[in-house]
Amino acid sequence: MSQPRSIVPGATYLVTRRTLLRHMLFRPDAEITRLIVYSLSVSARRFGIQVHALCAMSTHVHLVLTDVHGLLPNFLHLFHRLVALGTKVLRAWEGPVWDHEATSAVRLLTRQAMVERIAYTLANPVIAGLVRHAHEWPGATVLVDEIGCGTLRATRPDVYFDAANSQWPKEESLSLTLPPCIGAGDAADFCH
């Protein structure tokens, strides 16, 4: 049995979750990108999560985020559930979407660790040899010049989310923030 995860309000994490057997369920198309961004925006708003970086690869998702209120498990439960249920419909997929391994949530304790993990997240498609430049990745991602000042936006997906239910707004947005240890004055240095 694994030890319980320590949840600390205000902590920043690199979160990674893989698809079952690395099936390419999140291959980047407009609908899966919209599903991931919408689900992330709804879940982050609901639990007060600050998102700094995102990259959805075909087989996994990386997030760098700050858990302001110590609600990371609640956020992850909702986000992963929404993505899984929407993916099942979009991909006509039977069975689990996510790998049976626990979600990796690595607490980032230093500014350097945060910068390195954000850089790793944003460069993931390049590291994997899928594109030459990170901005060429067609999936759900954050670009370097959006860190701390960009906004992710998505309209409600046509699948799974009931338009008559007020908890699923027609459009959802998420402002990208800098990690707490990086001040607004440091943003230019951080991105270069």
Side-chain angles (χ1 to χ4, degrees):
M1 179 190 290
S2 62
Q3 294 294 316
R5 181 180 289 151
S6 175
I7 302 299
V8 179
T12 300
Y13 298 90
L14 167 65
V15 175
T16 303
R17 185 107 193 244
R18 300 195 180 285
T19 59
L20 181 68
L21 300 174
R22 298 192 185 203
H23 288 290
M24 295 184 22
L25 296 173
F26 304 145
R27 59 191 178 275
D29 61 41
E31 288 305 309
I32 205 74
T33 297
R34 181 164 68 152
L35 170 69
I36 291 170
V37 171
Y38 185 87
S39 299
L40 176 62
S41 299
V42 166
S43 303
R45 178 180 41 80
R46 188 169 299 174
F47 295 106
I49 299 292
Q50 294 178 350
V51 175
H52 315 302
L54 158 71
C55 186
M57 300 290 286
S58 296
T59 62
H60 61 283
V61 175
H62 292 297
L63 286 167
V64 179
L65 55 82
T66 297
D67 178 16
V68 176
H69 305 293
L71 298 172
L72 183 65
N74 304 73
F75 162 77
L76 291 175
H77 174 77
L78 179 61
F79 174 59
H80 291 152
R81 180 175 180 271
L82 296 176
V83 170
L85 293 171
T87 299
K88 285 177 174 236
V89 176
L90 286 172
R91 300 294 190 230
W93 184 257
E94 296 290 329
V97 167
W98 298 108
D99 189 81
H100 298 301
E101 295 294 318
T103 301
S104 173
V106 178
R107 188 169 171 207
L108 307 175
L109 299 174
T110 66
R111 182 184 193 276
Q112 180 177 345
M114 291 176 199
V115 170
E116 288 173 359
R117 294 299 92 194
I118 289 172
Y120 170 79
T121 297
L122 302 184
N124 211 248
V126 176
I127 294 167
L130 300 172
V131 293
R132 189 174 173 106
H133 303 284
H135 70 270
E136 296 169 345
W137 181 245
T141 190
V142 169
L143 301 176
V144 170
D145 61 354
E146 296 174 326
I147 298 171
C149 61
T151 302
L152 296 174
R153 288 184 175 81
T155 56
R156 182 180 52 243
D158 297 328
V159 299
Y160 181 69
F161 298 91
D162 181 2
N165 188 331
S166 63
Q167 71 175 328
W168 312 127
K170 183 175 179 152
E171 185 173 336
E172 189 63 73
S173 64
L174 175 66
S175 295
L176 301 167
T177 63
L178 290 169
C181 72
I182 300 172
D186 297 329
D189 294 338
F190 179 78
C191 297
H192 294 96

